[in-house]
Amino acid sequence: MFVLSLTLLFFSMLLYKSLSEKLYSDLDELLQSRAKGIIDSIDTYWETERLEAIADGVKFDIFSKANNINFIKIAQRWVEERSKDPKLVNVIVQIFDANDKLIASSKDMPVIISKKNDQLKSLNQKDGYFETVTAEFKTGRQQPLRTFTVPVVEHYNVAYIVKIISQVSSIDLALQDFRMLLFIFLPITVFVTGIIGSLLSKITLSPVDKMINVIHNINAKNMKLRIGTPDTKDEIRRLADTFNDMLSRLEHSFSTQKKFIEDLTHELKTPLSILKGEIEVVLHKGRSQEEYVLLLNSNLEEINRITKIVEDLLILARFDSCVLNLDIKQINISILIQEITEIINILAKQKNIQFILSVDENVNIAGDKDKLSRLFLNIIDNAIKYTSEYGKLTVSINKEKDFAKIVITDTGIGISEEDLPYIFDRFYRADKSRIKAGFGLGLSIAKSIAEAHGGSIEAYSKLGQGSAFIISLPLIHSI
Ligand SMILES: Nc1ncnc2c1ncn2[C@@H]1O[C@H](COP(=O)(O)OP(=O)(O)O)[C@@H](O)[C@H]1O
Ligand SMILES: [Mg+2]
């Protein structure tokens, strides 16, 4: 409203100024043209009279009108005759002689206070000059007048002077009306605009109010709440959509976290209750030395299991918070795989699985050797674990564009279509009954390692036929 007031005020002032200038310049033009008409008329009048007089034999000797008694008479007569002329009703015509002495006046003139119209001035301003003066009437009333004074020059001398006087009260009245109009119109406009503006902003921002109410009620327990999206296509709609998207993501990560904690509790509970059960049974009565050894060995197995979970989780947590420092070096993947072949062979031999290795030499990447070994072993371990005896495990390494591709294929039990999208999730195991098989963290860790190296893992599988895991890691020149 403040800015609008200022703008309107500025424009009103501009408008007022140009209007008043225009009105005054119009009046000046009118005065000027009237003066010209009067001079022409007087001159014609004089000329006719002179010619008539000459024709009548009267000696109308001198041509000059200056200080000419005949001219004075003619001028007075002209003024008397013309004072009723409708063109001259609104103005006062005065004629002065060359000495600035009033010869004739169309109306009684009040005293003009501003007295600047001395002869010198009339003489100097051949084209005439305008003046705004204040007239004081006999009653004491004062009134502004606009005058135009122009000398009539004949033979390089001033013959007479014509002065036209007009009231400016009509202009002043018009301007006064205009001022009044602005005075009323300006505050009303600002006021109405202010009301409409505040109403509009209330209407447009009401969805925001609703959003605020909903957002106030959202907490970890009711992440399902969503903001109502207005039926518009504006920023508020986009804001609501974006906010809802964010809520969905948060809800998803919240429920993932929740499930993670449930799974973890479950994973830890199993070995702990086994430990507890075994110890309780053994403590029930005295046992032999061998029985204690057996128990402690069994206990150790469970403790190792717990330790493994905790270690795996620690690695994952470090990947999550990006505090895991990778010891990046140039690594030849072919050599790295050959280094872990020994372990693979031992694992494969236990189940009579045929292990085929096909490597492209000199596939170099930049990476952390320990972490990459872990990545490959996790996947190869799965391949062997989920492949029955006399199956086949193939590991191939080659370059494809800017990536090293490591493809690990098995002829195992495969993964169903429903399970495939989730196998990289933490604690996810396709077959829940195989409790001892693992914790379902191997692939999550493998994925985190691949991603930390700027790579990725994809899984392809058909239930009953086997699986293929493709690991892509950026080649060294493209890092
Ligand atoms: N080569 C494979 N063949 C069949 N199933 C697999 C294979 N690799 C992974 N899986 C499935 O994906 C799940 C998750 O794997 P992983 O994270 O390594 O957990 P786990 O501890 O069970 O090995 C496994 O439980 C298994 O169901
Ligand atoms: Mg595994």
Side-chain angles (χ1 to χ4, degrees), residues 382-383 385-386 410 413-415 423 428-431 434 438-443 467 469:
N382 281 349
K385 198 156 68 178
Y386 301 113
D410 64 62
I413 57 168
I415 306 158
I423 54 168
Y428 192 87
R429 280 173 302 188
D431 186 353
R434 286 185 309 226
F439 324 111
L441 290 175
L443 285 182
S467 318
F469 285 81

Side-chain angles (χ1 to χ4, degrees), residues 245-281:
D245 282 351
M246 185 193 76
L247 281 177
S248 301
R249 287 198 302 275
L250 281 181
E251 191 196 354
H252 179 254
S253 73
F254 251 76
S255 63
T256 315
Q257 291 284 336
K258 222 172 113 196
K259 193 175 164 294
F260 177 74
I261 291 171
E262 281 166 12
D263 289 342
L264 174 63
T265 320
H266 181 77
E267 287 304 328
L268 289 176
K269 223 180 125 192
T270 315
L272 281 174
S273 43
I274 294 174
L275 260 179
K276 187 168 178 266
E278 283 176 350
I279 294 171
E280 274 170 0
V281 167

Side-chain angles (χ1 to χ4, degrees), residues 312 378-387 408-416 419-420 422-432 434-446 459-461 463 466-469:
D312 282 357
N378 276 3
I379 293 182
I380 291 168
D381 174 60
N382 281 349
I384 295 173
K385 198 156 68 178
Y386 301 113
T387 299
I408 297 163
T409 331
D410 64 62
T411 54
I413 57 168
I415 306 158
S416 73
D419 289 322
L420 202 56
Y422 305 108
I423 54 168
F424 292 101
D425 290 355
R426 286 167 197 186
F427 292 117
Y428 192 87
R429 280 173 302 188
D431 186 353
K432 310 280 186 293
R434 286 185 309 226
I435 297 170
K436 282 275 173 185
F439 324 111
L441 290 175
L443 285 182
S444 322
I445 293 174
Y460 301 90
S461 186
L463 202 62
S467 318
F469 285 81

Side-chain angles (χ1 to χ4, degrees), residues 117-360:
N117 54 335
D118 45 72
Q119 196 188 10
L120 259 181
K121 192 161 184 177
S122 320
L123 287 172
N124 290 339
Q125 314 243 328
K126 298 249 182 302
D127 295 327
Y129 62 94
F130 294 99
E131 230 182 347
T132 303
V133 296
T134 312
E136 195 173 295
F137 290 87
K138 285 187 193 103
T139 53
R141 192 164 59 90
Q142 290 198 346
Q143 201 183 32
L145 298 174
R146 185 78 175 157
T147 67
F148 178 60
T149 315
V150 59
V152 181
V153 178
E154 213 177 47
H155 309 301
Y156 307 105
N157 284 316
V158 173
Y160 60 100
I161 298 162
V162 173
K163 188 192 270 292
I164 306 225
I165 303 161
S166 165
Q167 295 189 341
V168 287
S169 52
S170 62
I171 292 180
D172 281 348
L173 273 176
L175 286 177
Q176 200 182 335
D177 281 356
F178 186 63
R179 268 202 309 271
M180 201 62 198
L181 207 74
L182 290 180
F183 191 70
I184 298 168
F185 166 81
L186 223 94
I188 288 181
T189 312
V190 172
F191 184 69
V192 169
T193 315
I195 287 183
I196 293 177
S198 83
L199 273 178
L200 272 181
S201 66
K202 263 218 178 77
I203 292 170
T204 40
L205 291 181
S206 75
V208 175
D209 266 345
K210 282 187 204 148
M211 277 162 73
I212 290 172
N213 285 337
V214 177
I215 294 169
H216 266 305
N217 290 326
I218 294 177
N219 57 38
K221 286 203 180 69
N222 56 4
M223 297 285 290
K224 288 249 171 317
L225 274 183
R226 288 293 178 273
I227 296 166
T229 43
D231 245 354
T232 49
K233 276 189 179 151
D234 54 8
E235 282 75 11
I236 293 178
R237 167 75 193 249
R238 290 220 315 275
L239 179 67
D241 284 343
T242 315
F243 210 89
N244 281 341
D245 282 351
M246 185 193 76
L247 281 177
S248 301
R249 287 198 302 275
L250 281 181
E251 191 196 354
H252 179 254
S253 73
F254 251 76
S255 63
T256 315
Q257 291 284 336
K258 222 172 113 196
K259 193 175 164 294
F260 177 74
I261 291 171
E262 281 166 12
D263 289 342
L264 174 63
T265 320
H266 181 77
E267 287 304 328
L268 289 176
K269 223 180 125 192
T270 315
L272 281 174
S273 43
I274 294 174
L275 260 179
K276 187 168 178 266
E278 283 176 350
I279 294 171
E280 274 170 0
V281 167
V282 172
L283 283 181
H284 198 62
K285 55 177 176 129
R287 304 279 166 169
S288 69
Q289 180 82 17
E290 292 90 68
E291 276 175 316
Y292 283 126
V293 171
L294 216 65
L295 166 80
L296 287 177
N297 272 329
S298 171
N299 284 355
L300 193 63
E301 212 175 281
E302 296 308 326
I303 289 169
N304 281 340
R305 203 173 148 77
I306 295 172
T307 314
K308 176 90 171 74
I309 294 181
V310 173
E311 272 172 10
D312 282 357
L313 284 177
L314 198 65
I315 289 180
L316 281 172
R318 283 188 179 152
F319 270 119
D320 282 353
S321 53
C322 299
V323 291
L324 197 106
N325 287 330
L326 294 176
D327 179 18
I328 303 280
K329 287 201 180 92
Q330 178 173 336
I331 288 169
N332 184 323
I333 299 206
S334 332
I335 295 173
L336 178 70
I337 296 279
Q338 268 150 12
E339 274 172 19
I340 56 173
T341 310
E342 209 172 302
I343 308 168
I344 303 172
N345 273 328
I346 295 169
L347 291 170
K349 246 187 211 129
Q350 287 171 356
K351 293 179 82 176
N352 285 315
I353 289 170
Q354 188 189 353
F355 172 45
I356 302 160
L357 181 64
S358 112
V359 289
D360 253 10

